[in-house]
Amino acid sequence: MRITTEWFPIVLGTMVLSLTSWIDYTVFNMSLALQVGKVIYFIALALFALILIGWAYGYRDINNIKEDLSSINRVAFSAFIAVLIFVSGFFYTVYISYSPTTVIDLSYLYFFGYALAFVINVVTWVKIYLGQKVTPSYALLVPSIALSADVVLGAPILPPFSYVLKDVGTIYILMLLALGITVLQFVFLGSVSLLSHLQGTRAYPTVMIPLGAASIIGINVLSFPAYNYLGLFDVPEKAALAIGVSLFDFELWNLVLGLFIAVNRIREPPSLISWAYVFPTGIAMFSAFMLFQMTGIYTFVDFIIALNIVVVFALFLFCLEDVPVYESYDEKFYPTEVKT
């Protein structure tokens, strides 16, 4: 059995559990939740290292490299490495250290993760344009989400220690560029993927990926007023909040849609793609958390509690099932890609 990029969402799902614990600590002042989240974070880091090593080890055979490069889904899912870089850096500031020295080190990590996400995004879209038998699916939005996930690490390394960085403006511009790319790719590829789904393609868990796209866009928009001190742009907080709430409504719609489909398909054998339910839900939870911080409206706390339940329930169902593991990629993970 070879470890491929389909395994990285498992690490991200584990990171979501750490995020859930940290939000519970912040919102409900549960000190135990903070300690649990920290333990889960270190477990996720160890898991990330093991899967990353196993994934790289598989490339000792050049045929495996050719096989993965020929699969657009595997190329797209490699963008999860960039997401894990951003998320790992964010949790480093939460659980380990948040100082001027840390910010400088994390800025290098930010640029590396951004470059990786950007390159994978470009390669994915080159394959989309040049591929003759590629069926569009929401799974192909992963590189877009990964690119805008830079805000997860970009936000902590700006205020309050941004004075130690020489390229603060560059980071902010990169975040804006990532948002623009994600929004337009979400509109274009999302629409095409929906039409493809209506025409007969079925990859049910991927219906949750638009939830992740809308959530990460909302997080970006809600973050921008905090950077007005840079003097580059002036984003009114109330305008950002209005857009963020509107996007959150769309997130809820996607969540309800995805859960109905999940319940409807619950008897089907799961695969690693089932983790597609966990990561977008975690991003939506962070979006609700930011809205609560900005508004103080406890309705968003209710959403946080509900999303907590959804994350735990999704992981519980996934772990209970007898998950099939295949030694080779044969469209069982992603039935949306047409073989050549």
Side-chain angles (χ1 to χ4, degrees):
M1 180 184 67
R2 183 166 71 90
I3 294 177
T4 58
T5 55
E6 290 91 350
W7 288 74
F8 287 114
I10 297 177
V11 184
L12 207 50
T14 308
M15 287 287 189
V16 166
L17 289 179
S18 181
L19 175 66
T20 301
S21 299
W22 175 74
I23 291 177
D24 289 343
Y25 160 74
T26 307
V27 175
F28 305 111
N29 197 27
M30 299 169 56
S31 57
L32 178 60
L34 180 65
Q35 299 305 317
V36 171
K38 187 174 183 178
V39 171
I40 295 175
Y41 169 60
F42 284 115
I43 292 174
L45 284 181
L47 187 61
F48 183 30
L50 289 174
I51 291 180
L52 191 64
I53 292 171
W55 172 67
Y57 181 74
Y59 288 148
R60 69 192 188 281
D61 185 349
I62 194 172
N63 291 324
N64 291 335
I65 299 177
K66 294 178 180 179
E67 178 188 349
D68 286 359
L69 287 177
S70 66
S71 166
I72 191 170
N73 284 320
R74 283 191 174 172
V75 171
F77 254 50
S78 62
F80 273 123
I81 300 176
V83 179
L84 286 167
I85 289 173
F86 295 139
V87 173
S88 298
F90 167 75
F91 279 129
Y92 188 91
T93 66
V94 170
Y95 296 127
I96 302 176
S97 174
Y98 190 33
S99 65
T101 303
T102 300
V103 166
I104 293 175
D105 294 337
L106 290 178
S107 68
Y108 298 132
L109 190 67
Y110 170 85
F111 286 120
F112 175 73
Y114 191 99
L116 180 62
F118 186 84
V119 169
I120 294 173
N121 187 289
V122 171
V123 171
T124 300
W125 278 78
V126 167
K127 293 181 72 66
I128 290 174
Y129 278 108
L130 298 182
Q132 298 183 3
K133 292 186 177 181
V134 174
T135 301
S137 72
Y138 289 131
L140 301 183
L141 284 171
V142 170
S144 304
I145 299 175
L147 191 59
S148 273
D150 70 324
V151 69
V152 174
L153 183 56
I157 64 177
L158 290 180
F161 300 121
S162 57
Y163 62 86
V164 302
L165 300 176
K166 298 179 180 179
D167 39 25
V168 175
T170 301
I171 293 175
Y172 185 48
I173 293 298
L174 287 176
M175 291 169 64
L176 286 172
L177 291 174
L179 178 62
I181 292 171
T182 299
V183 168
L184 293 177
Q185 289 182 346
F186 182 30
V187 171
F188 296 144
L189 186 55
S191 301
V192 174
S193 298
L194 176 60
L195 291 176
S196 176
H197 186 86
L198 293 176
Q199 291 172 357
T201 301
R202 294 292 182 265
Y204 294 103
T206 61
V207 298
M208 294 293 279
I209 292 181
L211 169 65
S215 300
I216 205 66
I217 291 171
I219 291 171
N220 272 270
V221 172
L222 291 172
S223 299
F224 287 141
Y227 312 134
N228 288 340
Y229 77 97
L230 295 174
L232 296 174
F233 302 96
D234 184 13
V235 182
E237 182 175 338
K238 290 186 177 179
L241 187 58
I243 296 173
V245 172
S246 298
L247 287 171
F248 188 73
D249 292 340
F250 181 69
E251 295 169 37
L252 291 179
W253 178 86
N254 271 286
L255 181 64
V256 172
L257 174 66
L259 290 178
F260 269 115
I261 293 174
V263 171
N264 186 55
R265 316 301 299 189
I266 198 170
R267 294 184 179 277
E268 291 190 357
S271 68
L272 294 181
I273 195 177
S274 299
W275 288 86
Y277 283 109
V278 181
F279 170 54
T281 306
I283 306 178
M285 188 188 309
F286 193 80
S287 176
F289 168 70
M290 290 187 68
L291 287 170
F292 170 66
Q293 281 193 317
M294 295 179 69
T295 64
I297 298 175
Y298 278 87
T299 301
F300 293 112
V301 175
D302 296 333
F303 289 133
I304 291 173
I305 295 173
L307 291 169
N308 264 272
I309 296 172
V310 171
V311 168
V312 174
F313 182 69
L315 289 173
F316 178 72
L317 286 180
F318 182 77
C319 292
L320 278 183
E321 296 284 356
D322 182 18
V323 182
V325 177
Y326 306 106
E327 293 186 357
S328 62
Y329 182 75
D330 58 0
E331 305 299 332
K332 293 182 180 179
F333 286 121
Y334 282 92
T336 58
E337 183 174 344
V338 180
K339 285 186 176 181
T340 57

